Amino acid sequence: MSKHFPGDDDDIIAAAREGFLEEAQDNLRQFEQGLLAMEQDPGDAEAVNSAFRAAHTIKGGAGLFGFQAVVGFTHEVESVLDRMRDGLLAVTEPGMALLLQGRDQMERLVHAVRDGTEGDAELEAISQRLGEQLRQLRGESAGPAAPASATAAPEDIPASNGEGDGVWHLSLRLGVDALRNGLDPMSFIRYLDTLGEVEGIRTLAEAVPELLLLDPEGCCLGFEIRLRSPADRQTIVDVFEFLQDDCELEVLAPDASAADYQRLLAQRAADEPAREALLAHWQALGMARLLEAPEPADSAPPTTADSPEPAATSVAPRPAAAPPRAEERRGGARDRRAGGEESRFIRVRADKLDHLIDLIGELVIASSGAQVAAQQERSTRFGEAAQRIHDLVQEARDGALGLRMVPIGETFSRFQRVVRDVSKELGKDVALQITGGDTELDKSMVETIADPLMHLVRNSLDHGLETAEDREAAGKPGQGTLALHAYHESGNVIIEVSDDGRGLNRDRILAKAVERELVSPDSVLDDEQVYRLIFEPGFSTAAQVTNLSGRGVGMDVVKRNVESLRGQIKVASTPGRGATMQIRLPLTLAIIDGFLTQVAGVSYVLPLESVAECIETPPGFMLGEHGACGCFDLRGEVVPYIDLRRSFGHDGPRPTRQSLIVVHSTDSRIGLLVDRLLGEYQTVIKPLGSIFQHLEGIAGSTILGSGEVALILDVPSLERLQIRQPRHLATSPIHTSRTAHPSA
């Protein structure tokens, strides 16, 4: 027999608790989305049911773990939604605003559970204040609010069917897989105390087999429970909704007759010994008088459509055609159980996934080393085996990276609340459109890009979109549109934030740049160069500082964060018609397809998706006498170039033939002059040590199959360093200041 360690149960409970907290965040998002959908369409029954299910799931999960502050407050929110769902309370703007405040308080309470600060006095005061407002909203007398940590007050629990505050009888039989499915029956029973008082309980262990036949993961228990509660039948049944697939529950109302108990006795007891055992449990619960003068089971009058609801209710097995209301209440839990879509998914710790990606990266390096060794040995069989390993490693790489890919739609959906709150604060009518939410991106990048997107969204709301009056005066619809769009393009993810507002004011931006000496007054700049000025540190055209903008802090940080992900950001604007901010990001940051080059014997890698073409130095190409950059003619287009040999200070003679790699830069194309082209190469990105992180133009390093280290180029940073001086727009634009050109 295995030895039981005292810490085992604590570890299991801690893991289950962490699972609840993670699931609570998902349910909070579902709750918020449901509320926002209700506000847009008050008649959307599915939105109301979705929000109700999310709140009820949070409340039920919190009750299982004894998080009473969460249970008590969520009950207040749930009660308002219940009345809205029944059509007893209208969906109004003040009501939705209060429910959204309630959602925020629920999140704070969940965070308090995670942080261990559940008893915070300020948090309890907020719960009391909001709880009182929620009771007033649903038409109940305001009175002093119960503490948030207390269970739901009896007067808040609905009573119906004339049952009143009586003693209910619950007969519960657990399924054999209840424990195996991770359910703790005692948690559900303890939760009954939130509905009233458990006056008596008997545990039925007659079905437990001998020790040698006992399945440690199987459940063979039953319970007979006496519950005094003013709650209605449905509220009591809902306590066990998470158990409904793993239990048989019979509920007898306080006014149940002796015949009802006799029918239950006949149902539960298959033979005379079982009957006597169950009767003994009932007598121990003080139920002897309920069994006096029993009526024959077959003498009960038939139930008709006009007959009152029966005193005894069975919830398992469920009828094939349950009422829609019951299905709505139970659907959320059932879908999450066995057979539902989510049963195909498992949660994996992020650090374990990162470790797997690291191992795949080492496999990529080892595979490259095997190919190099095969080439050196000039062995055909060795080369074929190395190539096969290479192909398998590449498949494993793609599969492992795919595990970290998540839809960006979850990030997009967070902005629904932001758009709602900010637009109301600014007095604007704004509709949010989301497309391409299923576009996948590396999880680490999704987390990093959320803040830049938040700033762009708030910036569009504050600066871009006009008030309804201004829009109508300009011949536009009164409601503005803010759009979030994502899609894949050439191995990159494109994210666009656009609006149909007033657009960027070119003259105002240029005047501000001249005022701040970012450009000279006689500069000749095209629109794209002017719009790039908004990313300069401290740049702002706002007339006054508000809590949203005006301090010149943000757009430069947006650009810096995007470029830290090896991304690029572009601006497009049409005066009077709106603006679009386009962010281009690589699919992943861990392992990329690279293009390997060499300069003075040193290897450099470029991200393959940024490479447009490779050409020999064109006829008449001449290096500038000074500096590491110049221009060349690419089929009639003047393109700037960077001489990597001079840029990185490599000495030694140049080869007689060099090549130009044309790459996509931030807003144009740029050439990189290298000595040799070595072709495509799977690149495992290794971060530089802290001592080298200040280096401009270098994004990281990788290890080649030969064991040598290659540096990964950061083209935007290199362009800023070599072509654009600190006051790069204080002179003429690049294409008019070429160093060498065939026609010169």
Side-chain angles (χ1 to χ4, degrees):
M1 181 178 296
S2 61
K3 184 178 180 180
H4 174 73
F5 294 93
D8 290 351
D9 290 343
D10 294 339
D11 293 341
I12 293 173
I13 293 174
R17 178 178 181 273
E18 188 64 26
F20 159 73
L21 294 174
E22 291 180 5
E23 185 179 1
Q25 292 300 319
D26 295 336
N27 283 302
L28 284 169
R29 281 192 288 271
Q30 177 186 333
F31 182 62
E32 182 176 271
Q33 291 170 11
L35 294 181
L36 295 173
M38 288 170 58
E39 190 174 40
Q40 293 295 322
D41 183 7
D44 189 348
E46 179 53 36
V48 181
N49 291 327
S50 175
F52 181 87
R53 284 195 299 266
H56 191 69
T57 302
I58 293 172
K59 171 185 166 184
L64 296 181
F65 291 95
F67 303 146
Q68 297 302 335
V70 181
V71 172
F73 183 78
T74 306
H75 175 77
E76 304 286 1
V77 175
E78 183 187 45
S79 298
V80 173
L81 282 171
D82 200 28
R83 292 182 65 82
M84 288 181 174
R85 193 170 61 158
D86 289 338
L88 302 176
L89 185 64
V91 178
T92 62
E93 184 174 330
M96 298 311 300
L98 185 57
L99 284 174
L100 285 169
Q101 292 182 49
R103 180 263 174 214
D104 295 340
Q105 178 64 4
M106 289 161 59
E107 184 172 41
R108 285 190 287 266
L109 290 170
V110 170
H111 287 168
V113 169
R114 185 186 298 274
D115 300 336
T117 58
E118 296 175 79
D120 183 73
E122 182 179 354
L123 201 59
E124 288 189 2
I126 297 174
S127 293
Q128 290 182 13
R129 175 176 58 81
L130 290 177
E132 183 174 350
Q133 293 176 5
L134 289 166
R135 285 190 291 276
Q136 291 176 348
L137 178 64
R138 63 178 189 258
E140 298 183 7
S141 57
S149 59
T151 59
E155 60 268 23
D156 294 334
I157 300 174
S160 61
N161 305 326
E163 288 151 351
D165 186 1
V167 180
W168 297 77
H169 184 80
L170 283 67
S171 180
L172 177 66
R173 298 295 183 272
L174 297 172
V176 68
D177 292 326
L179 299 178
R180 191 174 291 111
N181 288 333
L183 300 170
D184 179 7
M186 289 307 300
S187 298
F188 296 90
I189 295 173
R190 285 194 295 268
Y191 186 74
L192 290 173
D193 284 328
T194 67
L195 304 181
E197 178 186 359
V198 176
E199 292 190 342
I201 183 170
R202 298 286 294 182
T203 301
L204 281 66
E206 289 81 2
V208 177
E210 297 180 2
L211 184 60
L212 293 178
L213 302 177
L214 180 65
D215 179 2
E217 294 183 351
C219 186
C220 307
L221 298 178
F223 298 92
E224 297 291 317
I225 305 169
R226 301 290 289 172
L227 172 68
R228 181 175 295 279
S229 172
D232 64 357
R233 177 181 285 104
Q234 187 60 57
T235 301
I236 294 174
V237 169
D238 282 348
V239 171
F240 299 91
E241 68 172 347
F242 289 98
L243 262 177
Q244 61 186 328
D245 293 331
D246 290 299
C247 79
E248 291 183 5
L249 175 66
E250 296 287 340
V251 179
L252 273 63
D255 57 353
S257 66
D260 294 322
Y261 283 92
Q262 288 291 343
R263 282 193 289 270
L264 177 61
L265 183 63
Q267 178 181 338
R268 292 299 193 206
D271 51 32
E272 190 60 28
R275 176 185 174 88
E276 293 179 359
L278 184 55
L279 282 172
H281 287 297
W282 285 2
Q283 290 174 354
L285 290 172
M287 297 166 53
R289 65 177 184 81
L290 295 175
L291 301 176
E292 296 175 357
E295 302 175 10
D298 56 358
S299 66
T303 301
T304 66
D306 298 329
S307 300
E309 183 179 352
T313 297
S314 172
V315 300
R318 182 179 307 160
R325 175 63 180 263
E327 285 299 316
E328 291 168 3
R329 286 180 178 270
R330 301 177 183 130
R334 184 177 64 254
D335 290 345
R336 283 187 295 275
R337 296 304 311 275
E341 181 69 16
E342 291 193 9
S343 63
R344 296 162 51 191
F345 297 89
I346 60 172
R347 292 183 181 272
V348 179
R349 287 175 56 92
D351 56 348
K352 291 185 177 180
L353 194 54
D354 291 340
H355 181 61
L356 173 62
I357 299 296
D358 291 341
L359 290 177
I360 294 293
E362 296 302 321
L363 274 176
V364 169
I365 295 173
S367 173
S368 298
Q371 287 188 301
V372 171
Q375 292 172 0
Q376 292 174 347
E377 293 292 330
R378 297 183 179 180
S379 170
T380 303
R381 293 183 61 186
F382 189 8
E384 291 176 351
Q387 183 61 42
R388 177 59 178 158
I389 293 173
H390 170 80
D391 294 341
L392 290 173
V393 168
Q394 188 168 9
E395 289 185 21
R397 179 203 71 168
D398 295 340
L401 291 178
L403 296 176
R404 291 211 326 195
M405 305 298 280
V406 296
I408 199 171
E410 183 177 315
T411 300
F412 281 177
S413 63
R414 300 176 189 175
F415 297 116
Q416 292 177 337
R417 176 73 181 280
V418 176
V419 171
R420 175 202 178 273
D421 292 348
V422 174
S423 61
K424 289 186 180 298
E425 180 182 347
L426 298 174
K428 299 178 180 180
D429 186 7
V430 181
L432 176 65
Q433 293 181 355
I434 295 177
T435 54
D438 56 349
T439 303
E440 292 188 331
L441 190 64
D442 191 298
K443 179 175 176 59
S444 61
M445 298 179 70
V446 168
E447 295 169 351
T448 306
I449 202 64
D451 285 342
L453 285 177
M454 177 70 73
H455 187 87
L456 293 179
V457 167
R458 294 171 69 92
N459 206 52
S460 290
L461 291 169
D462 191 21
H463 293 295
L465 291 162
E466 314 96 328
T467 61
E469 295 78 9
D470 292 341
R471 291 180 63 84
E472 291 172 354
K476 297 180 180 181
Q479 185 181 61
T481 301
L482 177 65
L484 296 174
H485 181 45
Y487 57 96
H488 287 133
E489 182 183 273
S490 302
N492 292 276
V493 174
I494 310 299
I495 303 173
E496 294 179 348
V497 180
S498 58
D499 62 70
D500 63 349
R502 58 175 62 92
L504 297 178
N505 190 323
R506 183 188 190 282
D507 295 336
R508 190 173 179 183
I509 293 173
L510 186 57
K512 193 71 175 181
V514 171
E515 177 187 332
R516 295 198 55 209
E517 298 183 353
L518 293 173
V519 298
S520 61
D522 57 348
S523 297
V524 179
L525 307 177
D526 58 27
D527 290 346
E528 198 166 354
Q529 290 174 313
V530 172
Y531 296 151
R532 283 204 308 267
L533 288 166
I534 66 175
F535 296 107
E536 292 294 317
F539 187 89
S540 174
T541 59
Q544 59 183 359
V545 175
T546 68
N547 62 339
L548 288 176
S549 62
R551 302 184 186 275
V553 178
M555 293 303 286
D556 62 317
V557 177
V558 168
K559 185 180 180 183
R560 188 161 59 247
N561 288 346
V562 169
E563 291 182 348
S564 71
L565 298 173
R566 302 200 324 275
Q568 303 170 4
I569 184 168
K570 291 184 179 181
V571 183
S573 177
T574 302
R577 299 186 61 182
T580 297
M581 302 286 178
Q582 185 188 82
I583 298 175
R584 179 182 293 268
L585 296 171
L587 284 175
T588 181
L589 295 177
I591 304 174
I592 63 170
D593 290 321
F595 190 83
L596 185 60
T597 68
Q598 203 169 68
V599 178
V602 178
S603 298
Y604 294 95
V605 176
L606 287 161
L608 185 61
E609 69 267 8
S610 68
V611 177
E613 59 180 312
C614 299
I615 61 173
E616 291 188 18
T617 52
F621 180 85
M622 296 176 58
L623 291 171
E625 296 181 2
H626 305 286
C629 59
C631 294
F632 69 98
D633 186 349
L634 180 64
R635 297 183 292 275
E637 177 187 356
V638 178
V639 177
Y641 75 84
I642 297 175
D643 181 2
L644 294 184
R645 180 179 281 270
R646 286 184 177 176
S647 179
F648 292 118
H650 292 299
D651 297 325
R654 290 179 180 270
T656 55
R657 295 178 58 185
Q658 287 186 285
S659 300
L660 280 165
I661 305 175
V662 181
V663 299
H664 299 290
S665 183
T666 304
D667 46 38
S668 61
R669 292 191 294 179
I670 186 173
L672 300 178
L673 186 61
V674 300
D675 293 350
R676 295 183 61 192
L677 305 176
L678 301 179
E680 297 183 21
Y681 183 80
Q682 285 192 52
T683 304
V684 180
I685 299 177
K686 302 285 187 180
L688 295 173
S690 57
I691 192 172
F692 299 112
Q693 286 182 352
H694 69 284
L695 293 178
E696 295 275 0
I698 303 297
S701 63
T702 188
I703 301 175
L704 304 180
S706 61
E708 299 178 9
V709 175
L711 299 176
I712 301 172
L713 295 178
D714 181 356
V715 177
S717 175
L718 193 61
E719 181 187 15
R720 286 196 307 269
L721 178 66
Q722 297 298 339
I723 295 180
R724 301 176 181 178
Q725 301 302 320
R727 298 294 177 90
H728 60 274
L729 294 176
T731 60
S732 300
I734 297 169
H735 68 271
T736 63
S737 60
R738 58 178 181 264
T739 305
H741 189 272
S743 62

